[in-house]
């Protein structure tokens, strides 16, 4: 028969079971559920590859030191099949059954909103690099941190640039999908456009994954705005441009939140990708130093050699989540989730993605760089001033 003291000791050990089980062999295990199949798999792959690449690189450099003991990193990864409900169940499983130490995020804001509620319930810190909606960080949660810039500020650099173009656009059409991320972008863009004195002549919401933009394009043709700002997903941007060409809709400029920086975007449209403005929080140049990859330029080359495709800001953001955890764990000197959570809130370090430090709401503060496809290449155009001359105004489709 066990004594009362023995039962207390056993109970305490069971309560600590999650951390002890995962770390018993000197291993810190991250858990994640990302889109490896389904409609969001094309972007979800960035996170799978980023998490594995960062973990391999950190382990090769000697791993993580916690309280004087060396640990290796490991990843328990599930495919959520682009199903948000399945993603929630998998994050619950990662905590309650797989006993992972910490959580890395999924791709896309709608997923992150629900999955971060699981992290909050069990008080396990999650750092995510795939969701930017303001809604994720407006609920007062303590266990969610994000490395993407705030969605409501996505068009800030673009609108700032528009005021310096010649002739400056005066009228704007705002299009946005009905998911959380794009609604946040639209909410912020209305305020930014109003502050800049732009006349919003069309404000149109469409269903996520819409493929037919003919009705919206007819409205754009009727309103004849100088600029079109579109918050949506890559496939929607591709369909919009293809159908704009077919209907002969050609404003002075159009800009998109997602897709333009990727090689897939340029390959899908060919020469029709030219003149499209986009944005990115990350450009792989050597000025971005990193403890594990040297710098962003070296990381870009190593990524392409390993995966046979180019990384974009999703990939860099995903790597930054792993590095932020490592910095926090080493600073905390323990695997206790609350202590690591408090250390995450204080991290401040330079990385291949840029400077990583979280605001009080858990989100990073990074300004977007406006990019444009020019002669088949993505060119940085504007952050706080012009880096290269934009191709503006966009000629009519018949003159291209």
């Amino acid at each position: 028969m066990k004594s009362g003291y023995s039962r207390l000791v056993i109970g305490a050990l069971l309560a600590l079971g999650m951390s002890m089980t995962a770390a018993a062999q000197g291993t810190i295990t991250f858990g994640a559920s990302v889109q490896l199949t389904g409609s969001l798999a094309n972007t979800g792959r960035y996170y799978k590859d980023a998490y594995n690449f960062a973990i391999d690189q950190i382990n090769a450099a000697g791993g993580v030191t916690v309280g004087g003991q060396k640990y290796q990193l490991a990843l328990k990864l599930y495919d959520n099949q682009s199903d948000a409900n399945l993603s929630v169940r998998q994050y619950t499983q990662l905590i309650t059954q797989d006993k992972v130490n910490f959580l890395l995020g999924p791709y896309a804001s709608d997923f992150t909103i629900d999955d971060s509620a699981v992290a909050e319930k069990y008080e396990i810190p999650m750092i995510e690099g795939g969701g930017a909606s303001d809604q994720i960080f407006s609920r007062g949660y303590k266990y969610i941190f994000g490395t993407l810039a705030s969605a409501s500020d996505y068009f800030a650099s673009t609108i700032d640039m528009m005021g310096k173009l010649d002739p400056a656009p005066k009228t704007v059409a705002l299009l946005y999908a009905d998911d959380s991320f794009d609604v946040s972008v639209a909410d912020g863009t209305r305020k930014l456009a109003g502050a800049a004195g732009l006349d919003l002549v069309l404000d149109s919401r469409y269903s996520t994954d819409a493929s037919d933009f003919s009705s919206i394009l007819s409205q754009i043709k009727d309103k004849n705005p100088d600029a079109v700002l579109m918050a949506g997903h890559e496939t929607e941007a591709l369909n919009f441009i293809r159908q704009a060409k077919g209907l002969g809709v050609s404003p002075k400029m159009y800009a998109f939140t997602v897709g333009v920086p990727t090689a897939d975007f340029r390959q899908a449209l060919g020469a029709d990708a030219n003149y499209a403005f986009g944005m990115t929080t990350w450009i792989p140049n050597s000025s971005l130093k990193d403890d594990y990859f040297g710098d962003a330029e070296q990381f870009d080359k190593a990524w392409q050699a390993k995966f046979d495709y180019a990384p974009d800001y999703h990939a860099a953001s995903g790597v930054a989540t792993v590095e932020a955890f490592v910095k926090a764990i080493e600073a905390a000197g323990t695997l206790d989730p609350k202590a690591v959570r408090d250390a995450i809130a204080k991290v401040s370090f330079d990385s291949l993605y840029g400077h990583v430090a979280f605001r009080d709401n858990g989100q990073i503060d990074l300004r977007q760089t406006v990019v444009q496809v020019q002669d088949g290449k993505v060119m940085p155009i504007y952050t706080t001033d012009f880096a290269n001359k934009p191709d503006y105004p966009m000629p009519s489709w018949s003159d291209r």
Side-chain angles (χ1 to χ4, degrees):
M1 183 176 177
K2 295 181 176 66
S3 68
Y5 176 76
S6 296
R7 283 195 294 271
L8 285 174
V9 171
I10 293 170
L13 289 173
L14 289 173
L16 293 170
M18 181 190 68
S19 294
M20 294 183 67
T21 300
Q25 302 303 314
T27 300
I28 299 169
T29 303
F30 295 116
S33 167
V34 300
Q35 297 88 338
L36 304 182
T37 57
S39 60
L40 298 177
N42 193 47
T43 306
R45 65 175 171 158
Y46 286 110
Y47 294 92
K48 179 199 71 172
D49 292 341
Y51 296 159
N52 282 310
F53 200 16
I55 286 171
D56 289 347
Q57 197 76 2
I58 292 166
N59 284 341
V64 182
T65 303
V66 184
Q69 181 180 348
K70 280 289 188 182
Y71 287 79
Q72 291 282 288
L73 299 178
L75 177 66
K76 180 71 175 181
L77 185 77
Y78 289 115
D79 173 14
N80 63 35
Q81 303 172 32
S82 301
D83 181 332
N85 292 325
L86 177 58
S87 187
V88 169
R89 294 198 298 273
Q90 290 176 336
Y91 272 105
T92 302
Q93 179 178 338
L94 285 163
I95 295 172
T96 62
Q97 298 181 38
D98 298 322
K99 310 295 186 185
V100 300
N101 295 99
F102 306 109
L103 299 174
L104 299 168
Y107 165 60
S109 293
D110 283 350
F111 285 71
T112 308
I113 289 169
D114 293 342
D115 296 338
S116 58
V118 178
E120 191 73 13
K121 176 182 177 181
Y122 290 97
E123 298 186 339
I124 301 297
M126 170 187 281
I127 307 180
E128 59 89 15
S133 170
D134 295 35
Q135 187 178 345
I136 300 169
F137 303 98
S138 64
R139 299 168 293 176
Y141 283 7
K142 300 298 184 185
Y143 285 83
I144 178 66
F145 298 86
T147 54
L148 289 182
S150 174
S152 58
D153 292 332
Y154 262 48
F155 275 120
S157 298
T158 303
I159 289 175
D160 190 22
M161 177 195 75
M162 287 164 60
K164 299 177 182 178
L165 295 174
D166 185 19
K170 301 295 184 186
T171 55
V172 174
L174 173 63
L175 318 179
Y176 62 101
D178 60 0
D179 59 89
S180 175
F181 165 73
D182 293 304
V183 169
S184 288
V185 173
D187 288 344
T189 301
R190 289 189 196 95
K191 296 175 184 174
L192 293 166
L198 295 166
D199 184 9
L200 203 60
V201 297
L202 180 64
D203 189 336
S204 183
R205 176 170 172 157
Y206 64 86
S207 297
T208 298
D209 296 329
S211 59
D212 183 0
F213 291 94
S214 58
S215 176
I216 292 176
L217 283 163
S218 295
Q219 295 178 65
I220 292 173
K221 202 166 189 175
D222 179 57
K223 299 291 185 181
N224 193 30
D226 294 328
V228 173
L229 305 180
M230 183 172 179
H233 304 92
E234 182 171 341
T235 302
E236 295 154 18
L238 294 172
N239 285 326
F240 177 86
I241 292 175
R242 290 177 178 129
Q243 292 165 32
K245 180 181 181 181
L247 293 172
V249 176
S250 185
K252 289 185 175 67
M253 63 168 284
Y254 47 41
F256 305 88
T257 51
V258 175
V260 173
T262 71
D264 290 343
F265 182 90
R266 301 191 300 280
Q267 291 170 0
L269 291 174
D272 291 343
N274 290 329
Y275 298 99
F277 286 99
M279 61 189 69
T280 182
T281 52
W282 180 70
I283 294 174
N285 62 55
S286 58
S287 67
L288 296 174
K289 304 300 183 186
D290 187 271
D291 287 347
Y292 302 102
F293 291 92
D295 59 48
E297 185 176 0
Q298 294 177 53
F299 165 77
D300 178 69
K301 293 177 180 175
W303 180 287
Q304 295 195 51
K306 184 176 181 66
F307 299 113
D308 200 27
Y309 71 94
D312 72 352
Y313 70 89
H314 295 99
S317 177
V319 169
T321 64
V322 179
E323 293 191 358
F325 257 125
V326 170
K327 298 291 184 184
I329 291 168
E330 291 192 329
T334 171
L335 300 183
D336 175 72
K338 184 178 186 306
V340 172
R341 178 266 161 217
D342 291 344
I344 295 170
K346 298 176 183 176
V347 296
S348 179
F349 66 98
D350 293 324
S351 75
L352 62 89
Y353 180 61
H355 189 74
V356 177
F358 299 104
R359 296 180 291 177
D360 290 344
N361 69 352
Q363 195 167 23
I364 202 170
D365 186 13
L366 280 178
R367 189 173 174 86
Q368 300 281 354
T369 293
V370 179
V371 298
Q372 187 183 36
V373 181
Q374 298 182 351
D375 295 326
K377 299 179 180 177
V378 177
M379 299 294 293
I381 300 298
Y382 186 93
T383 307
T384 56
D385 202 351
F386 286 104
N388 288 289
K389 183 180 179 182
D391 284 343
Y392 174 87
M394 184 167 65
S396 66
W397 286 101
S398 59
D399 292 332
R400 293 172 62 170

